[in-house]
Amino acid sequence: MKRRTFIKASGLAGVSLTTYLACAPDRKKTSTVSEPAPFPLEEFTIEDLQAKMQNGEFSSRSVTEMYLDRINTIDKNGPAINSIIELNPDALSIADEMDKERKSGKVRGPLHGIPVLIKDNIDTGDKMMTTAGALALEGNVASKDAFIIQQLRQSGAVLLGKTNLSEWANFRSNRSSSGWSSRGGQTKNPYALDRNPCGSSSGSGAAVAANLCAVAIGTETNGSIACPSSINGIVGIKPTVGLLSRSGIIPISHTQDTAGPMARTVTDAALLLGALTGIDPDDPVTSQSREKSLKDYTPFLDARGLQGKIIGVEKSMLKGHEVVDSLLQKALEQLKAGGATVVEVDLMKRMEGLYPSEFIVLQYEFRDGVNRYLEKARTQVKTLKEVIDFNRKNEDKAMPFFKQDILESSEAKGDLKTKEYGDALQKILEITRKGLDGVFREHHLDALCGPTNGPAWCTDHVNGDYSTGYGVYSPAAIAGYPHISVPMGQVFGLPVGLSFLGLPYHEPELITISYAYEQTSNNRAVPAFAK
């Protein structure tokens, strides 16, 4: 999750432009990393890859090899963005099998033979570990795939590897650096290597942006798909809680957690979303998606989809960083030009008292969920308390920059029958759902929008992350409602996203609006790997 969302909701108005440019005083004049050769798959979409494999120019194996070479060049050497925590030793054999099926006339669907990267808090029943980036979980090879990985394999995708993340999905310390884990180290922002990639799905966001894969899977509790998608200049879909199964995913919160697709285009994100849906008996909340989930969201990709739509814009986020304000005004004009009506709304005024109560809920649910996961996992630690003890005994490696105050405060909580937990849960759901439902109803909205966040901050292992404000997605994340972040433009070469929020299971409507905006704006830009 985006670690400080639940602690303070600070805006950009108090952060000076000098602060933003502190890492590199003149971003426009910084040098870039020279690549040894142009990448043949740069900005290739799933459709592009399928067309090349269909006509025989590429195979799944050759595509997988090209991405593996790219990872070796860009991720481990060259700019060394460090987004991949582990490669799948079986990736090429999976690709070979998909090629055999294609030659026999069997194509499973749009993801057949497509390399996908997976966040390292999602179980894969293969030779790769699942550790949430924590040294305490090193060696944890899952006995079976998470449900969404079962779905992914059935779609014919090639599991390319695992991505680095903010350790414990950014639920370890109030002074952490997003994108850093004790197992994987620090992931860098491919647009500016001294900048942060946000988190907790840092590696997934950076890898997609840097063309290290076709698409990737992230997870979110509050901002962990939205923020790294925005800051890395890509598309991220945070689905309704219940649309995708969470079984086999190292948890923070059963109220808010969900996996979701991260891609360079809305189309590719929609294709991956459809591949992951399904009812899972091991995650009862997925039963609520029956007759609401789809296996194909592409019929909702309508370039004229803004016509007749009513889109709210969060009033409190119209003024902050002057360049972000300019990008937002341009986006609103593009929405209007596409046929949408834009109205100002006051959602955030209804969110008073939300974030301290959310943090209480997350601590209780984290303790409960992690203990349940570890009890069955192949780990050297079997409880949250043992994780804390491990970190203390291995402080030089596990906690060289920041400590584990959130782990410790979570361990101090009781069980889920505690009154403090029940009261806080009731409060946050009532505030967010009543607020969102009310705003949508009162203004007859099809979606609500606002800046996903500000531009990337400087990576700082001494002081940790600092807020760049905005974060319109947060109420939807807490309520369990869907949101999508789409590139809105750049601030001195640093990407910023535009988020669209919707009501439960309104992914089709959000995909339509996001796609139409994407086609109108065309804000996706290839990263420069600026030093």
Side-chain angles (χ1 to χ4, degrees):
M1 67 176 297
K2 186 167 177 278
R3 175 176 46 80
R4 289 184 176 167
T5 299
F6 55 85
I7 299 173
K8 61 180 181 179
S10 59
L12 271 171
V15 182
S16 69
L17 187 61
T18 302
T19 301
Y20 280 108
L21 300 180
C23 307
D26 192 346
R27 174 64 60 201
K28 296 178 182 179
K29 294 181 180 179
T30 54
S31 61
T32 57
V33 175
S34 59
E35 298 179 37
F39 181 50
L41 303 182
E42 186 164 284
E43 298 299 287
F44 265 45
T45 65
I46 290 174
E47 182 180 8
D48 293 334
L49 293 171
Q50 289 294 355
K52 295 287 187 182
M53 289 189 285
Q54 188 63 32
N55 67 22
E57 185 176 345
F58 293 160
S59 64
S60 179
R61 183 182 181 92
S62 69
V63 167
T64 302
E65 287 176 333
M66 282 187 272
Y67 280 124
L68 289 172
D69 288 343
R70 173 74 166 180
I71 290 168
N72 183 60
T73 301
I74 297 298
D75 201 59
K76 303 308 176 188
N77 299 297
I81 61 174
N82 198 39
S83 64
I84 313 298
I85 202 167
E86 185 173 1
L87 289 171
N88 185 4
D90 297 326
L92 291 176
S93 63
I94 297 172
D96 288 340
E97 184 61 31
M98 293 305 103
D99 285 335
K100 289 179 183 178
E101 289 189 6
R102 188 183 295 274
K103 288 179 180 178
S104 71
K106 178 182 179 180
V107 176
R108 302 188 187 194
L111 290 183
H112 189 106
I114 301 294
V116 180
L117 285 168
I118 300 149
K119 188 176 178 181
D120 180 43
N121 60 348
I122 304 173
D123 285 346
T124 56
D126 50 25
K127 298 170 186 173
M128 293 187 289
M129 293 184 282
T130 304
T131 67
L135 285 177
L137 271 61
E138 197 166 35
N140 179 36
V141 177
S143 60
K144 65 176 183 178
D145 287 336
F147 182 85
I148 60 169
I149 301 303
Q150 294 176 22
Q151 302 293 86
L152 188 65
R153 288 189 197 272
Q154 290 173 14
S155 75
V158 176
L159 276 64
L160 190 60
K162 296 283 190 79
T163 57
N164 196 21
L165 70 160
S166 311
E167 187 172 318
W168 289 108
N170 238 345
F171 206 69
R172 200 188 94 174
S173 171
N174 288 316
R175 201 170 48 76
S176 68
S177 173
S178 289
W180 184 90
S181 71
S182 57
R183 181 178 168 225
Q186 179 66 55
T187 296
K188 300 176 184 178
N189 188 315
Y191 288 85
L193 301 177
D194 54 2
R195 296 277 166 163
N196 197 272
C198 199
S200 62
S201 303
S202 314
S204 294
V208 169
N211 283 269
L212 306 185
C213 60
V215 290
I217 300 176
T219 67
E220 174 164 324
T221 303
N222 189 341
S224 281
I225 289 173
C227 186
S229 293
S230 173
I231 278 180
N232 288 284
I234 63 171
V235 176
I237 299 179
K238 199 292 294 187
T240 304
V241 171
L243 187 67
L244 304 184
S245 167
R246 288 86 53 82
S247 67
I249 301 177
I250 298 174
I252 292 179
S253 164
H254 63 257
T255 298
Q256 296 176 210
D257 287 351
T258 182
M262 302 173 76
R264 289 181 291 275
T265 67
V266 174
T267 299
D268 283 358
L271 288 169
L272 182 54
L273 180 66
L276 301 179
T277 60
I279 308 298
D280 177 13
D282 291 332
D283 186 0
V285 73
T286 59
S287 64
Q288 299 174 19
S289 71
R290 197 179 305 275
E291 298 181 359
K292 299 173 186 174
S293 67
L294 301 170
K295 296 306 295 182
D296 183 6
Y297 287 89
T298 58
F300 303 100
L301 299 169
D302 182 359
R304 302 177 64 188
L306 292 171
Q307 293 184 6
K309 297 294 191 296
I310 302 176
I311 300 174
V313 58
E314 172 52 39
K315 188 179 293 186
S316 68
M317 297 184 183
L318 288 169
K319 289 188 177 181
H321 185 290
E322 62 273 16
V323 185
V324 178
D325 296 345
S326 177
L327 293 177
L328 177 59
Q329 289 303 320
K330 180 181 179 181
L332 297 179
E333 292 304 317
Q334 289 171 326
L335 294 175
K336 293 174 186 177
T341 299
V342 176
V343 297
E344 294 183 9
V345 302
D346 280 319
L347 174 65
M348 292 304 177
K349 284 187 177 180
R350 307 181 188 210
M351 299 295 113
E352 185 176 351
L354 177 63
Y355 299 108
S357 295
E358 183 203 10
F359 189 41
I360 290 171
V361 170
L362 298 186
Q363 290 173 98
Y364 275 97
E365 294 188 352
F366 177 73
R367 180 180 184 272
D368 178 77
V370 166
N371 282 335
R372 290 175 185 270
Y373 178 88
L374 293 177
E375 182 182 14
K376 298 178 181 179
R378 298 173 176 177
T379 54
Q380 57 186 319
V381 290
K382 290 298 179 182
T383 64
L384 178 56
K385 184 180 184 305
E386 290 183 10
V387 171
I388 293 168
D389 291 341
F390 175 92
N391 289 341
R392 287 172 179 163
K393 292 176 183 177
N394 299 275
E395 187 168 358
D396 59 332
K397 294 180 180 178
M399 301 190 294
F401 304 118
F402 52 88
K403 305 308 176 185
Q404 54 180 347
D405 49 288
I406 294 179
L407 298 187
E408 291 168 352
S409 65
S410 298
E411 173 59 23
K413 295 297 183 183
D415 61 31
L416 300 186
K417 297 179 182 179
T418 306
K419 185 177 186 299
E420 181 188 41
Y421 166 73
D423 290 347
L425 178 61
Q426 181 179 358
K427 181 176 182 178
I428 66 170
L429 294 181
E430 182 176 342
I431 289 174
T432 55
R433 293 177 181 178
K434 183 178 179 180
L436 283 161
D437 292 350
V439 165
F440 271 76
R441 182 177 60 252
E442 292 164 20
H443 297 279
H444 309 287
L445 300 182
D446 295 290
L448 189 153
C449 77
T452 307
N453 50 262
W457 56 91
C458 305
T459 295
D460 184 350
H461 291 157
V462 176
N463 299 301
D465 296 342
Y466 59 82
S467 174
T468 58
Y470 299 111
V472 71
Y473 54 78
S474 195
I478 298 170
Y481 291 7
H483 57 78
I484 299 178
S485 181
V486 183
M488 185 171 67
Q490 294 192 352
V491 176
F492 298 97
L494 302 173
V496 174
L498 180 68
S499 278
F500 294 99
L501 285 58
L503 295 175
Y505 299 104
H506 280 210
E507 282 80 3
E509 291 87 341
L510 292 184
I511 287 170
T512 295
I513 290 169
S514 300
Y515 178 76
Y517 169 70
E518 174 193 56
Q519 297 304 298
T520 298
S521 60
N522 294 306
N523 288 321
R524 162 69 188 166
V526 179
F529 304 103
K531 292 181 180 178

